[in-house]
Amino acid sequence: MGEIYVRPATEADVGAILDIYNEQVLNSTSTFDLEFRTMDAQREWLKQFDDRYVLLVADDGGEVVAWGCLHPYGSKPGYRYTTENSVYVRVDRRRTGIGARILEALIAAGAANGFRTIIARIAGDNPASVALHERLGFRLVGVEREVGYKFDRWLDVVEMQLMLEEERGAREK
């Protein structure tokens, strides 16, 4: 392992991002997608990111081992100060602190980019992700009961929220 650093994703990272994501499609409820994403679809997906809605990767010696993003929470203009986050870590690098590093960088980017709040929607059977978000200041705001269906079972979605102004104030104390 080299030194891991978090940086903005580039088009050259799309293949590694896709591999990490598609492994989750196949083996996890961290996404409710049921079919693999194609490289063309992933390249199209990349176009949504800009200076405000960021896509970051954890780079370990030139190898992408995790990624995370801030994406629009809703399509209506009234949601423009709210963003939703996603974090995905390659299966062999989980529980190493990389997810926290990505999420910390997303929180910093959210604050710097003028968002008031970040929403996390987490499959109810993913306590590690809930604990990670909780450790970084997210609070439970609700549970959507049995809204997802994957692997022949109904799944809850835990909704968590981080108010960036409150988090910034807590860090300054």
Side-chain angles (χ1 to χ4, degrees):
M1 280 195 291
E3 183 174 338
I4 296 171
Y5 67 101
V6 176
R7 62 169 174 77
T10 68
E11 190 163 336
D13 300 319
V14 171
I17 291 168
L18 181 63
D19 289 344
I20 292 167
Y21 187 76
N22 279 340
E23 187 279 328
Q24 296 292 291
V25 171
L26 182 64
N27 298 308
S28 168
T29 58
S30 62
T31 175
F32 286 174
D33 273 341
L34 302 176
E35 295 182 14
F36 284 163
R37 225 181 247 166
T38 65
M39 185 60 85
D40 287 341
Q42 196 71 12
R43 282 192 186 102
E44 189 63 30
W45 169 85
L46 183 68
K47 293 177 184 176
Q48 73 180 297
F49 300 101
D50 54 26
D51 292 337
R52 189 155 192 247
Y53 294 103
V54 299
L55 174 61
L56 305 175
V57 296
D59 183 310
D60 183 359
E63 185 177 13
V64 172
V65 295
W67 64 272
C69 64
L70 296 178
H71 49 92
Y73 172 74
S75 61
K76 307 268 191 285
Y79 290 123
R80 69 190 175 279
Y81 297 109
T82 301
T83 187
E84 185 175 344
N85 83 75
S86 294
V87 175
Y88 293 91
V89 179
R90 201 171 71 188
V91 68
D92 63 324
R93 301 304 288 275
R94 292 191 190 133
R95 301 192 189 281
T96 63
I98 294 171
R101 290 187 57 189
I102 290 275
L103 187 52
E104 287 168 345
L106 291 173
I107 292 167
N113 294 347
F115 290 107
R116 180 169 179 77
T117 187
I118 301 174
I119 302 295
R121 292 183 180 149
I122 304 165
D125 67 345
N126 191 346
S129 185
V130 170
L132 167 63
H133 282 80
E134 199 168 59
R135 251 189 347 267
L136 293 179
F138 284 75
R139 298 294 169 245
L140 177 69
V141 292
V143 176
E144 299 169 343
R145 304 275 309 161
E146 298 182 358
V147 295
Y149 190 79
K150 189 172 182 180
F151 303 137
D152 296 322
R153 60 192 169 106
W154 289 103
L155 297 158
D156 295 347
V157 171
V158 174
E159 191 153 335
M160 301 183 80
Q161 181 175 17
L162 176 69
M163 297 301 299
L164 292 169
E165 289 297 317
E166 292 172 11
E167 177 64 17
R168 193 173 13 251
R171 280 185 288 198
E172 291 171 358
K173 289 182 183 178

